[in-house]
Amino acid sequence: MGLRQGAIAFGFRMFGATGLHRAARPFTQGLGAILMFHRVAPPRDDAFQPNRGLEISPEFLDLALAQAQAAGYELVSLDEALARMRTGASEFPFLALTFDDGYRDTAEVALPILARHGAPFTVYVTTGFADRTAHLWWVEMERAIAALDRVRLDIDGLVFDLPARTESEKQAAFRALYWPLRQGPEERLLTAVAGLCAAAEIDGAAIADELCLDWKGVRALAHHPLVAIGAHTLTHPMLAKLHANDARREMAQSRAVLEREIGRRIDHFAYPVGDPASAGAREFALAREIGFASAVTTRPGMIFADHGDHATALPRLSVNGNHQTWAALDVLLSGAPFMVWNRGRKLSVA
Ligand SMILES: [Zn+2]
């Protein structure tokens, strides 16, 4: 558990024990929130699951939707959420649900649960995952380290030679590699992970086929009345690291490809990875210029009326696989933690 994860867990316990988040709610909750999901799948028992935060169980999705509705939240489409940002009014706090990347389990596992709750949702599809040409590098890194006894890497000034025999050695190796690679150039990250996959004799490209919808699946999902499809680039890069022309191409082309494949207008976009190092002022302006009605980050925060003027820099709340309880989600949805994390600012849009 990293420092940030530790702070988050502490925050959940502190607010949960004191009930302070409920007192703060009228000041911190805003109009509602955009929730971010990745995979929805039955829990696995492998001890080494460094990407566990990106995966929740079908049971928890079901419980969270039931509890949210019982607590008075209204489940709305992203278009409806945008309309409420513009008018600055929402009679009940809203939740707009979003699923990233275009996983098979979004259609096969999450959709039946969402449909039972009548919940509209947006799916951000990376066209290269549907094409099987782009890499889910974080999963490839997990699979490679799971298979290797020793992790060796020597690339552009990054040198590692780490034991990876036991679960704790694997955790340590993943942690040691993940941040330096993620923080460095996109190309070095992809080359390094390809090298790990080669050493582990894992076909990285096959992972997109295993986990992600193909075009037939994307088209079927797109035609469900509760679903809106959004763009999520061609190759899932951290856009802020690319030259402006490449970033623009990733955003505009992915929209064009999706519109051609599903025969619908694409109005919404999600920045891959989505933290401040992946999406900032330049990308927010690009999304506006390209004509997206909205674009979401992974910066945590609630939605306030002022976001109507910053619709290409929207925050989201991650429904995190490490905290699959209603108590934790209830604390998040109060908005209270973000006043602490964002040091009292409602908006983080620069
Ligand atoms: Zn993504």
PDB file of all heavy atoms in Angstrom, residues 39 44 46 48-51 55 136-149 170 174 193 196-197 199-204 206-211:
ATOM      1  N   ARG A  39     -12.619  -2.741 -14.344  1.00  0.00           N
ATOM      2  CA  ARG A  39     -13.152  -4.085 -14.549  1.00  0.00           C
ATOM      3  C   ARG A  39     -14.180  -4.455 -13.481  1.00  0.00           C
ATOM      4  O   ARG A  39     -14.104  -3.993 -12.342  1.00  0.00           O
ATOM      5  CB  ARG A  39     -12.003  -5.090 -14.561  1.00  0.00           C
ATOM      6  CG  ARG A  39     -10.988  -4.763 -15.676  1.00  0.00           C
ATOM      7  CD  ARG A  39     -10.220  -5.963 -16.102  1.00  0.00           C
ATOM      8  NE  ARG A  39     -11.110  -7.091 -16.300  1.00  0.00           N
ATOM      9  CZ  ARG A  39     -10.779  -8.361 -16.073  1.00  0.00           C
ATOM     10  NH1 ARG A  39      -9.561  -8.652 -15.640  1.00  0.00           N
ATOM     11  NH2 ARG A  39     -11.639  -9.321 -16.265  1.00  0.00           N
ATOM     12  N   ARG A  44     -10.539 -12.881  -7.626  1.00  0.00           N
ATOM     13  CA  ARG A  44      -9.586 -13.985  -7.846  1.00  0.00           C
ATOM     14  C   ARG A  44      -8.826 -14.202  -6.552  1.00  0.00           C
ATOM     15  O   ARG A  44      -8.687 -13.279  -5.767  1.00  0.00           O
ATOM     16  CB  ARG A  44      -8.572 -13.577  -8.929  1.00  0.00           C
ATOM     17  CG  ARG A  44      -9.183 -13.394 -10.305  1.00  0.00           C
ATOM     18  CD  ARG A  44      -8.135 -12.905 -11.292  1.00  0.00           C
ATOM     19  NE  ARG A  44      -7.868 -11.492 -11.163  1.00  0.00           N
ATOM     20  CZ  ARG A  44      -6.657 -10.953 -11.289  1.00  0.00           C
ATOM     21  NH1 ARG A  44      -5.600 -11.703 -11.535  1.00  0.00           N
ATOM     22  NH2 ARG A  44      -6.487  -9.640 -11.168  1.00  0.00           N
ATOM     23  N   ASP A  46      -5.516 -15.171  -6.404  1.00  0.00           N
ATOM     24  CA  ASP A  46      -4.063 -14.964  -6.488  1.00  0.00           C
ATOM     25  C   ASP A  46      -3.647 -13.892  -5.481  1.00  0.00           C
ATOM     26  O   ASP A  46      -4.306 -12.861  -5.383  1.00  0.00           O
ATOM     27  CB  ASP A  46      -3.583 -14.460  -7.849  1.00  0.00           C
ATOM     28  CG  ASP A  46      -4.496 -14.844  -9.000  1.00  0.00           C
ATOM     29  OD1 ASP A  46      -5.620 -15.299  -8.733  1.00  0.00           O
ATOM     30  OD2 ASP A  46      -4.088 -14.666 -10.151  1.00  0.00           O
ATOM     31  N   PHE A  48      -0.879 -12.155  -5.611  1.00  0.00           N
ATOM     32  CA  PHE A  48      -0.238 -11.039  -6.319  1.00  0.00           C
ATOM     33  C   PHE A  48      -1.220 -10.410  -7.311  1.00  0.00           C
ATOM     34  O   PHE A  48      -1.449 -10.943  -8.386  1.00  0.00           O
ATOM     35  CB  PHE A  48       1.013 -11.563  -7.048  1.00  0.00           C
ATOM     36  CG  PHE A  48       1.711 -10.518  -7.868  1.00  0.00           C
ATOM     37  CD1 PHE A  48       2.226  -9.366  -7.285  1.00  0.00           C
ATOM     38  CD2 PHE A  48       1.866 -10.682  -9.241  1.00  0.00           C
ATOM     39  CE1 PHE A  48       2.878  -8.398  -8.049  1.00  0.00           C
ATOM     40  CE2 PHE A  48       2.510  -9.726 -10.017  1.00  0.00           C
ATOM     41  CZ  PHE A  48       3.012  -8.585  -9.418  1.00  0.00           C
ATOM     42  N   GLN A  49      -1.826  -9.309  -6.897  1.00  0.00           N
ATOM     43  CA  GLN A  49      -2.784  -8.607  -7.766  1.00  0.00           C
ATOM     44  C   GLN A  49      -2.551  -7.104  -7.643  1.00  0.00           C
ATOM     45  O   GLN A  49      -3.365  -6.393  -7.054  1.00  0.00           O
ATOM     46  CB  GLN A  49      -4.213  -8.921  -7.353  1.00  0.00           C
ATOM     47  CG  GLN A  49      -4.678 -10.326  -7.683  1.00  0.00           C
ATOM     48  CD  GLN A  49      -6.179 -10.463  -7.423  1.00  0.00           C
ATOM     49  OE1 GLN A  49      -6.998  -9.732  -7.950  1.00  0.00           O
ATOM     50  NE2 GLN A  49      -6.532 -11.413  -6.577  1.00  0.00           N
ATOM     51  N   PRO A  50      -1.446  -6.610  -8.198  1.00  0.00           N
ATOM     52  CA  PRO A  50      -1.110  -5.201  -8.011  1.00  0.00           C
ATOM     53  C   PRO A  50      -2.124  -4.248  -8.643  1.00  0.00           C
ATOM     54  O   PRO A  50      -2.182  -3.078  -8.265  1.00  0.00           O
ATOM     55  CB  PRO A  50       0.253  -5.067  -8.687  1.00  0.00           C
ATOM     56  CG  PRO A  50       0.326  -6.202  -9.654  1.00  0.00           C
ATOM     57  CD  PRO A  50      -0.463  -7.313  -9.035  1.00  0.00           C
ATOM     58  N   ASN A  51      -2.934  -4.728  -9.591  1.00  0.00           N
ATOM     59  CA  ASN A  51      -3.948  -3.867 -10.221  1.00  0.00           C
ATOM     60  C   ASN A  51      -5.329  -4.063  -9.605  1.00  0.00           C
ATOM     61  O   ASN A  51      -6.333  -3.715 -10.213  1.00  0.00           O
ATOM     62  CB  ASN A  51      -4.009  -4.150 -11.733  1.00  0.00           C
ATOM     63  CG  ASN A  51      -2.749  -3.681 -12.449  1.00  0.00           C
ATOM     64  OD1 ASN A  51      -2.373  -2.502 -12.361  1.00  0.00           O
ATOM     65  ND2 ASN A  51      -2.066  -4.587 -13.137  1.00  0.00           N
ATOM     66  N   GLU A  55     -10.434  -3.188 -10.117  1.00  0.00           N
ATOM     67  CA  GLU A  55     -11.361  -4.301 -10.318  1.00  0.00           C
ATOM     68  C   GLU A  55     -12.305  -4.416  -9.135  1.00  0.00           C
ATOM     69  O   GLU A  55     -11.865  -4.520  -8.001  1.00  0.00           O
ATOM     70  CB  GLU A  55     -10.495  -5.574 -10.437  1.00  0.00           C
ATOM     71  CG  GLU A  55     -11.159  -6.745 -11.080  1.00  0.00           C
ATOM     72  CD  GLU A  55     -10.117  -7.821 -11.442  1.00  0.00           C
ATOM     73  OE1 GLU A  55      -9.053  -7.486 -11.988  1.00  0.00           O
ATOM     74  OE2 GLU A  55     -10.397  -8.984 -11.153  1.00  0.00           O
ATOM     75  N   LEU A 136      -2.303  -3.100 -23.004  1.00  0.00           N
ATOM     76  CA  LEU A 136      -2.695  -2.828 -21.612  1.00  0.00           C
ATOM     77  C   LEU A 136      -1.442  -3.075 -20.764  1.00  0.00           C
ATOM     78  O   LEU A 136      -1.317  -4.105 -20.095  1.00  0.00           O
ATOM     79  CB  LEU A 136      -3.837  -3.754 -21.182  1.00  0.00           C
ATOM     80  CG  LEU A 136      -5.167  -3.544 -21.932  1.00  0.00           C
ATOM     81  CD1 LEU A 136      -5.454  -4.697 -22.882  1.00  0.00           C
ATOM     82  CD2 LEU A 136      -6.318  -3.373 -20.964  1.00  0.00           C
ATOM     83  N   TRP A 137      -0.528  -2.108 -20.792  1.00  0.00           N
ATOM     84  CA  TRP A 137       0.815  -2.343 -20.248  1.00  0.00           C
ATOM     85  C   TRP A 137       0.806  -2.673 -18.763  1.00  0.00           C
ATOM     86  O   TRP A 137       1.655  -3.407 -18.280  1.00  0.00           O
ATOM     87  CB  TRP A 137       1.741  -1.157 -20.561  1.00  0.00           C
ATOM     88  CG  TRP A 137       1.270   0.163 -20.016  1.00  0.00           C
ATOM     89  CD1 TRP A 137       0.586   1.127 -20.688  1.00  0.00           C
ATOM     90  CD2 TRP A 137       1.439   0.669 -18.678  1.00  0.00           C
ATOM     91  NE1 TRP A 137       0.304   2.189 -19.872  1.00  0.00           N
ATOM     92  CE2 TRP A 137       0.816   1.948 -18.635  1.00  0.00           C
ATOM     93  CE3 TRP A 137       2.042   0.176 -17.516  1.00  0.00           C
ATOM     94  CZ2 TRP A 137       0.792   2.717 -17.467  1.00  0.00           C
ATOM     95  CZ3 TRP A 137       2.010   0.961 -16.355  1.00  0.00           C
ATOM     96  CH2 TRP A 137       1.397   2.209 -16.348  1.00  0.00           C
ATOM     97  N   TRP A 138      -0.174  -2.100 -18.025  1.00  0.00           N
ATOM     98  CA  TRP A 138      -0.212  -2.375 -16.574  1.00  0.00           C
ATOM     99  C   TRP A 138      -0.579  -3.835 -16.297  1.00  0.00           C
ATOM    100  O   TRP A 138      -0.110  -4.409 -15.330  1.00  0.00           O
ATOM    101  CB  TRP A 138      -1.155  -1.377 -15.866  1.00  0.00           C
ATOM    102  CG  TRP A 138      -2.564  -1.395 -16.382  1.00  0.00           C
ATOM    103  CD1 TRP A 138      -3.625  -2.036 -15.827  1.00  0.00           C
ATOM    104  CD2 TRP A 138      -3.066  -0.760 -17.575  1.00  0.00           C
ATOM    105  NE1 TRP A 138      -4.756  -1.843 -16.598  1.00  0.00           N
ATOM    106  CE2 TRP A 138      -4.442  -1.067 -17.661  1.00  0.00           C
ATOM    107  CE3 TRP A 138      -2.492   0.043 -18.569  1.00  0.00           C
ATOM    108  CZ2 TRP A 138      -5.251  -0.610 -18.707  1.00  0.00           C
ATOM    109  CZ3 TRP A 138      -3.298   0.500 -19.604  1.00  0.00           C
ATOM    110  CH2 TRP A 138      -4.650   0.175 -19.674  1.00  0.00           C
ATOM    111  N   VAL A 139      -1.424  -4.426 -17.157  1.00  0.00           N
ATOM    112  CA  VAL A 139      -1.768  -5.847 -17.000  1.00  0.00           C
ATOM    113  C   VAL A 139      -0.596  -6.712 -17.472  1.00  0.00           C
ATOM    114  O   VAL A 139      -0.253  -7.712 -16.834  1.00  0.00           O
ATOM    115  CB  VAL A 139      -3.047  -6.203 -17.793  1.00  0.00           C
ATOM    116  CG1 VAL A 139      -3.405  -7.676 -17.573  1.00  0.00           C
ATOM    117  CG2 VAL A 139      -4.210  -5.306 -17.391  1.00  0.00           C
ATOM    118  N   GLU A 140       0.032  -6.297 -18.589  1.00  0.00           N
ATOM    119  CA  GLU A 140       1.179  -7.052 -19.094  1.00  0.00           C
ATOM    120  C   GLU A 140       2.289  -7.095 -18.037  1.00  0.00           C
ATOM    121  O   GLU A 140       2.925  -8.124 -17.818  1.00  0.00           O
ATOM    122  CB  GLU A 140       1.696  -6.421 -20.394  1.00  0.00           C
ATOM    123  CG  GLU A 140       0.691  -6.516 -21.538  1.00  0.00           C
ATOM    124  CD  GLU A 140       1.216  -5.937 -22.845  1.00  0.00           C
ATOM    125  OE1 GLU A 140       2.433  -5.663 -22.944  1.00  0.00           O
ATOM    126  OE2 GLU A 140       0.410  -5.744 -23.770  1.00  0.00           O
ATOM    127  N   MET A 141       2.507  -5.945 -17.366  1.00  0.00           N
ATOM    128  CA  MET A 141       3.540  -5.883 -16.319  1.00  0.00           C
ATOM    129  C   MET A 141       3.194  -6.839 -15.183  1.00  0.00           C
ATOM    130  O   MET A 141       4.058  -7.581 -14.682  1.00  0.00           O
ATOM    131  CB  MET A 141       3.651  -4.438 -15.806  1.00  0.00           C
ATOM    132  CG  MET A 141       4.866  -4.172 -14.949  1.00  0.00           C
ATOM    133  SD  MET A 141       4.864  -2.512 -14.216  1.00  0.00           S
ATOM    134  CE  MET A 141       5.242  -1.490 -15.588  1.00  0.00           C
ATOM    135  N   GLU A 142       1.942  -6.871 -14.777  1.00  0.00           N
ATOM    136  CA  GLU A 142       1.500  -7.782 -13.715  1.00  0.00           C
ATOM    137  C   GLU A 142       1.697  -9.248 -14.122  1.00  0.00           C
ATOM    138  O   GLU A 142       2.262 -10.049 -13.371  1.00  0.00           O
ATOM    139  CB  GLU A 142       0.013  -7.538 -13.400  1.00  0.00           C
ATOM    140  CG  GLU A 142      -0.582  -8.575 -12.452  1.00  0.00           C
ATOM    141  CD  GLU A 142      -2.064  -8.340 -12.110  1.00  0.00           C
ATOM    142  OE1 GLU A 142      -2.542  -7.202 -12.281  1.00  0.00           O
ATOM    143  OE2 GLU A 142      -2.722  -9.293 -11.672  1.00  0.00           O
ATOM    144  N   ARG A 143       1.263  -9.587 -15.326  1.00  0.00           N
ATOM    145  CA  ARG A 143       1.358 -10.982 -15.771  1.00  0.00           C
ATOM    146  C   ARG A 143       2.831 -11.414 -15.883  1.00  0.00           C
ATOM    147  O   ARG A 143       3.184 -12.541 -15.553  1.00  0.00           O
ATOM    148  CB  ARG A 143       0.681 -11.152 -17.133  1.00  0.00           C
ATOM    149  CG  ARG A 143      -0.804 -10.812 -17.129  1.00  0.00           C
ATOM    150  CD  ARG A 143      -1.663 -12.036 -16.880  1.00  0.00           C
ATOM    151  NE  ARG A 143      -3.076 -11.672 -16.877  1.00  0.00           N
ATOM    152  CZ  ARG A 143      -3.889 -11.834 -17.917  1.00  0.00           C
ATOM    153  NH1 ARG A 143      -3.437 -12.378 -19.029  1.00  0.00           N
ATOM    154  NH2 ARG A 143      -5.151 -11.482 -17.826  1.00  0.00           N
ATOM    155  N   ALA A 144       3.685 -10.500 -16.414  1.00  0.00           N
ATOM    156  CA  ALA A 144       5.094 -10.846 -16.600  1.00  0.00           C
ATOM    157  C   ALA A 144       5.756 -11.089 -15.248  1.00  0.00           C
ATOM    158  O   ALA A 144       6.461 -12.088 -15.046  1.00  0.00           O
ATOM    159  CB  ALA A 144       5.816  -9.752 -17.373  1.00  0.00           C
ATOM    160  N   ILE A 145       5.523 -10.173 -14.287  1.00  0.00           N
ATOM    161  CA  ILE A 145       6.165 -10.324 -12.974  1.00  0.00           C
ATOM    162  C   ILE A 145       5.608 -11.545 -12.248  1.00  0.00           C
ATOM    163  O   ILE A 145       6.335 -12.248 -11.540  1.00  0.00           O
ATOM    164  CB  ILE A 145       6.038  -9.017 -12.145  1.00  0.00           C
ATOM    165  CG1 ILE A 145       6.855  -7.908 -12.827  1.00  0.00           C
ATOM    166  CG2 ILE A 145       6.501  -9.220 -10.712  1.00  0.00           C
ATOM    167  CD1 ILE A 145       6.707  -6.539 -12.214  1.00  0.00           C
ATOM    168  N   ALA A 146       4.321 -11.840 -12.443  1.00  0.00           N
ATOM    169  CA  ALA A 146       3.744 -13.053 -11.850  1.00  0.00           C
ATOM    170  C   ALA A 146       4.465 -14.295 -12.357  1.00  0.00           C
ATOM    171  O   ALA A 146       4.666 -15.260 -11.618  1.00  0.00           O
ATOM    172  CB  ALA A 146       2.246 -13.131 -12.165  1.00  0.00           C
ATOM    173  N   ALA A 147       4.890 -14.278 -13.623  1.00  0.00           N
ATOM    174  CA  ALA A 147       5.488 -15.476 -14.236  1.00  0.00           C
ATOM    175  C   ALA A 147       7.001 -15.573 -14.003  1.00  0.00           C
ATOM    176  O   ALA A 147       7.565 -16.666 -14.080  1.00  0.00           O
ATOM    177  CB  ALA A 147       5.205 -15.478 -15.735  1.00  0.00           C
ATOM    178  N   LEU A 148       7.643 -14.428 -13.729  1.00  0.00           N
ATOM    179  CA  LEU A 148       9.111 -14.419 -13.633  1.00  0.00           C
ATOM    180  C   LEU A 148       9.598 -14.698 -12.214  1.00  0.00           C
ATOM    181  O   LEU A 148       8.932 -14.337 -11.240  1.00  0.00           O
ATOM    182  CB  LEU A 148       9.661 -13.056 -14.085  1.00  0.00           C
ATOM    183  CG  LEU A 148       9.551 -12.734 -15.588  1.00  0.00           C
ATOM    184  CD1 LEU A 148       9.831 -11.258 -15.829  1.00  0.00           C
ATOM    185  CD2 LEU A 148      10.525 -13.610 -16.387  1.00  0.00           C
ATOM    186  N   ASP A 149      10.769 -15.315 -12.093  1.00  0.00           N
ATOM    187  CA  ASP A 149      11.427 -15.506 -10.794  1.00  0.00           C
ATOM    188  C   ASP A 149      12.380 -14.367 -10.488  1.00  0.00           C
ATOM    189  O   ASP A 149      12.791 -14.163  -9.352  1.00  0.00           O
ATOM    190  CB  ASP A 149      12.228 -16.816 -10.800  1.00  0.00           C
ATOM    191  CG  ASP A 149      11.320 -18.005 -10.559  1.00  0.00           C
ATOM    192  OD1 ASP A 149      10.171 -17.777 -10.106  1.00  0.00           O
ATOM    193  OD2 ASP A 149      11.746 -19.136 -10.841  1.00  0.00           O
ATOM    194  N   LYS A 170       7.479 -10.165  -5.512  1.00  0.00           N
ATOM    195  CA  LYS A 170       6.775  -9.724  -6.721  1.00  0.00           C
ATOM    196  C   LYS A 170       6.140  -8.347  -6.504  1.00  0.00           C
ATOM    197  O   LYS A 170       6.218  -7.461  -7.352  1.00  0.00           O
ATOM    198  CB  LYS A 170       5.704 -10.750  -7.133  1.00  0.00           C
ATOM    199  CG  LYS A 170       6.281 -12.043  -7.691  1.00  0.00           C
ATOM    200  CD  LYS A 170       5.196 -12.995  -8.148  1.00  0.00           C
ATOM    201  CE  LYS A 170       5.756 -14.388  -8.446  1.00  0.00           C
ATOM    202  NZ  LYS A 170       6.706 -14.431  -9.559  1.00  0.00           N
ATOM    203  N   PHE A 174       7.123  -5.059  -8.621  1.00  0.00           N
ATOM    204  CA  PHE A 174       6.118  -4.273  -9.352  1.00  0.00           C
ATOM    205  C   PHE A 174       6.188  -2.806  -8.937  1.00  0.00           C
ATOM    206  O   PHE A 174       6.222  -1.907  -9.784  1.00  0.00           O
ATOM    207  CB  PHE A 174       4.716  -4.837  -9.096  1.00  0.00           C
ATOM    208  CG  PHE A 174       3.645  -4.222  -9.964  1.00  0.00           C
ATOM    209  CD1 PHE A 174       3.289  -4.819 -11.170  1.00  0.00           C
ATOM    210  CD2 PHE A 174       2.988  -3.050  -9.589  1.00  0.00           C
ATOM    211  CE1 PHE A 174       2.307  -4.258 -11.984  1.00  0.00           C
ATOM    212  CE2 PHE A 174       2.011  -2.481 -10.395  1.00  0.00           C
ATOM    213  CZ  PHE A 174       1.666  -3.090 -11.591  1.00  0.00           C
ATOM    214  N   VAL A 193       8.092  -2.897 -20.949  1.00  0.00           N
ATOM    215  CA  VAL A 193       7.078  -3.912 -20.666  1.00  0.00           C
ATOM    216  C   VAL A 193       7.118  -5.012 -21.734  1.00  0.00           C
ATOM    217  O   VAL A 193       6.967  -6.200 -21.419  1.00  0.00           O
ATOM    218  CB  VAL A 193       5.672  -3.276 -20.538  1.00  0.00           C
ATOM    219  CG1 VAL A 193       4.609  -4.351 -20.397  1.00  0.00           C
ATOM    220  CG2 VAL A 193       5.636  -2.336 -19.335  1.00  0.00           C
ATOM    221  N   LEU A 196       9.837  -7.315 -20.703  1.00  0.00           N
ATOM    222  CA  LEU A 196       9.436  -8.196 -19.594  1.00  0.00           C
ATOM    223  C   LEU A 196       8.557  -9.332 -20.112  1.00  0.00           C
ATOM    224  O   LEU A 196       8.706 -10.491 -19.706  1.00  0.00           O
ATOM    225  CB  LEU A 196       8.666  -7.403 -18.529  1.00  0.00           C
ATOM    226  CG  LEU A 196       9.444  -6.351 -17.737  1.00  0.00           C
ATOM    227  CD1 LEU A 196       8.502  -5.609 -16.793  1.00  0.00           C
ATOM    228  CD2 LEU A 196      10.588  -6.985 -16.952  1.00  0.00           C
ATOM    229  N   CYS A 197       7.628  -9.000 -21.021  1.00  0.00           N
ATOM    230  CA  CYS A 197       6.743 -10.025 -21.585  1.00  0.00           C
ATOM    231  C   CYS A 197       7.555 -11.052 -22.370  1.00  0.00           C
ATOM    232  O   CYS A 197       7.296 -12.259 -22.268  1.00  0.00           O
ATOM    233  CB  CYS A 197       5.684  -9.396 -22.496  1.00  0.00           C
ATOM    234  SG  CYS A 197       4.372  -8.597 -21.572  1.00  0.00           S
ATOM    235  N   ALA A 199      10.686 -11.885 -21.854  1.00  0.00           N
ATOM    236  CA  ALA A 199      11.423 -12.700 -20.884  1.00  0.00           C
ATOM    237  C   ALA A 199      10.500 -13.737 -20.239  1.00  0.00           C
ATOM    238  O   ALA A 199      10.909 -14.857 -19.941  1.00  0.00           O
ATOM    239  CB  ALA A 199      12.057 -11.808 -19.826  1.00  0.00           C
ATOM    240  N   ALA A 200       9.247 -13.347 -20.002  1.00  0.00           N
ATOM    241  CA  ALA A 200       8.296 -14.249 -19.343  1.00  0.00           C
ATOM    242  C   ALA A 200       7.564 -15.135 -20.340  1.00  0.00           C
ATOM    243  O   ALA A 200       6.704 -15.929 -19.943  1.00  0.00           O
ATOM    244  CB  ALA A 200       7.284 -13.430 -18.539  1.00  0.00           C
ATOM    245  N   GLU A 201       7.894 -14.973 -21.624  1.00  0.00           N
ATOM    246  CA  GLU A 201       7.222 -15.713 -22.711  1.00  0.00           C
ATOM    247  C   GLU A 201       5.712 -15.520 -22.659  1.00  0.00           C
ATOM    248  O   GLU A 201       4.928 -16.473 -22.736  1.00  0.00           O
ATOM    249  CB  GLU A 201       7.600 -17.199 -22.678  1.00  0.00           C
ATOM    250  CG  GLU A 201       9.087 -17.396 -22.935  1.00  0.00           C
ATOM    251  CD  GLU A 201       9.492 -18.874 -22.932  1.00  0.00           C
ATOM    252  OE1 GLU A 201       8.634 -19.725 -23.142  1.00  0.00           O
ATOM    253  OE2 GLU A 201      10.698 -19.128 -22.706  1.00  0.00           O
ATOM    254  N   ILE A 202       5.334 -14.237 -22.488  1.00  0.00           N
ATOM    255  CA  ILE A 202       3.913 -13.887 -22.474  1.00  0.00           C
ATOM    256  C   ILE A 202       3.621 -13.087 -23.732  1.00  0.00           C
ATOM    257  O   ILE A 202       4.396 -12.202 -24.101  1.00  0.00           O
ATOM    258  CB  ILE A 202       3.599 -13.041 -21.216  1.00  0.00           C
ATOM    259  CG1 ILE A 202       3.514 -13.972 -20.006  1.00  0.00           C
ATOM    260  CG2 ILE A 202       2.324 -12.254 -21.381  1.00  0.00           C
ATOM    261  CD1 ILE A 202       3.345 -13.242 -18.716  1.00  0.00           C
ATOM    262  N   ASP A 203       2.511 -13.395 -24.376  1.00  0.00           N
ATOM    263  CA  ASP A 203       2.104 -12.656 -25.560  1.00  0.00           C
ATOM    264  C   ASP A 203       1.273 -11.458 -25.103  1.00  0.00           C
ATOM    265  O   ASP A 203       0.073 -11.572 -24.867  1.00  0.00           O
ATOM    266  CB  ASP A 203       1.291 -13.582 -26.478  1.00  0.00           C
ATOM    267  CG  ASP A 203       0.855 -12.858 -27.743  1.00  0.00           C
ATOM    268  OD1 ASP A 203       1.187 -11.666 -27.905  1.00  0.00           O
ATOM    269  OD2 ASP A 203       0.178 -13.498 -28.567  1.00  0.00           O
ATOM    270  N   GLY A 204       1.953 -10.322 -24.940  1.00  0.00           N
ATOM    271  CA  GLY A 204       1.272  -9.118 -24.444  1.00  0.00           C
ATOM    272  C   GLY A 204       0.082  -8.737 -25.301  1.00  0.00           C
ATOM    273  O   GLY A 204      -0.968  -8.334 -24.796  1.00  0.00           O
ATOM    274  N   ALA A 206      -1.937 -10.532 -26.853  1.00  0.00           N
ATOM    275  CA  ALA A 206      -3.110 -11.403 -26.685  1.00  0.00           C
ATOM    276  C   ALA A 206      -3.982 -10.948 -25.517  1.00  0.00           C
ATOM    277  O   ALA A 206      -5.146 -11.349 -25.415  1.00  0.00           O
ATOM    278  CB  ALA A 206      -2.653 -12.841 -26.468  1.00  0.00           C
ATOM    279  N   ILE A 207      -3.413 -10.114 -24.633  1.00  0.00           N
ATOM    280  CA  ILE A 207      -4.167  -9.690 -23.446  1.00  0.00           C
ATOM    281  C   ILE A 207      -5.346  -8.791 -23.834  1.00  0.00           C
ATOM    282  O   ILE A 207      -6.431  -8.894 -23.263  1.00  0.00           O
ATOM    283  CB  ILE A 207      -3.224  -9.034 -22.414  1.00  0.00           C
ATOM    284  CG1 ILE A 207      -2.278 -10.118 -21.863  1.00  0.00           C
ATOM    285  CG2 ILE A 207      -4.010  -8.376 -21.286  1.00  0.00           C
ATOM    286  CD1 ILE A 207      -1.206  -9.600 -20.936  1.00  0.00           C
ATOM    287  N   ALA A 208      -5.139  -7.921 -24.842  1.00  0.00           N
ATOM    288  CA  ALA A 208      -6.256  -7.086 -25.306  1.00  0.00           C
ATOM    289  C   ALA A 208      -7.385  -7.977 -25.817  1.00  0.00           C
ATOM    290  O   ALA A 208      -8.568  -7.712 -25.561  1.00  0.00           O
ATOM    291  CB  ALA A 208      -5.793  -6.122 -26.393  1.00  0.00           C
ATOM    292  N   ASP A 209      -7.028  -9.051 -26.519  1.00  0.00           N
ATOM    293  CA  ASP A 209      -8.033  -9.966 -27.056  1.00  0.00           C
ATOM    294  C   ASP A 209      -8.769 -10.693 -25.924  1.00  0.00           C
ATOM    295  O   ASP A 209      -9.974 -10.908 -25.968  1.00  0.00           O
ATOM    296  CB  ASP A 209      -7.351 -10.977 -27.988  1.00  0.00           C
ATOM    297  CG  ASP A 209      -8.360 -11.772 -28.793  1.00  0.00           C
ATOM    298  OD1 ASP A 209      -9.388 -11.186 -29.196  1.00  0.00           O
ATOM    299  OD2 ASP A 209      -8.131 -12.968 -29.003  1.00  0.00           O
ATOM    300  N   GLU A 210      -8.013 -11.037 -24.895  1.00  0.00           N
ATOM    301  CA  GLU A 210      -8.611 -11.745 -23.755  1.00  0.00           C
ATOM    302  C   GLU A 210      -9.578 -10.836 -22.976  1.00  0.00           C
ATOM    303  O   GLU A 210     -10.656 -11.266 -22.583  1.00  0.00           O
ATOM    304  CB  GLU A 210      -7.482 -12.229 -22.828  1.00  0.00           C
ATOM    305  CG  GLU A 210      -7.957 -12.911 -21.552  1.00  0.00           C
ATOM    306  CD  GLU A 210      -6.806 -13.042 -20.531  1.00  0.00           C
ATOM    307  OE1 GLU A 210      -5.642 -13.219 -20.949  1.00  0.00           O
ATOM    308  OE2 GLU A 210      -7.098 -12.950 -19.330  1.00  0.00           O
ATOM    309  N   LEU A 211      -9.168  -9.581 -22.749  1.00  0.00           N
ATOM    310  CA  LEU A 211      -9.907  -8.725 -21.815  1.00  0.00           C
ATOM    311  C   LEU A 211     -10.865  -7.732 -22.470  1.00  0.00           C
ATOM    312  O   LEU A 211     -11.812  -7.284 -21.817  1.00  0.00           O
ATOM    313  CB  LEU A 211      -8.929  -7.942 -20.931  1.00  0.00           C
ATOM    314  CG  LEU A 211      -8.010  -8.759 -20.018  1.00  0.00           C
ATOM    315  CD1 LEU A 211      -7.161  -7.826 -19.173  1.00  0.00           C
ATOM    316  CD2 LEU A 211      -8.821  -9.696 -19.111  1.00  0.00           C
TER     317      LEU A 211
END
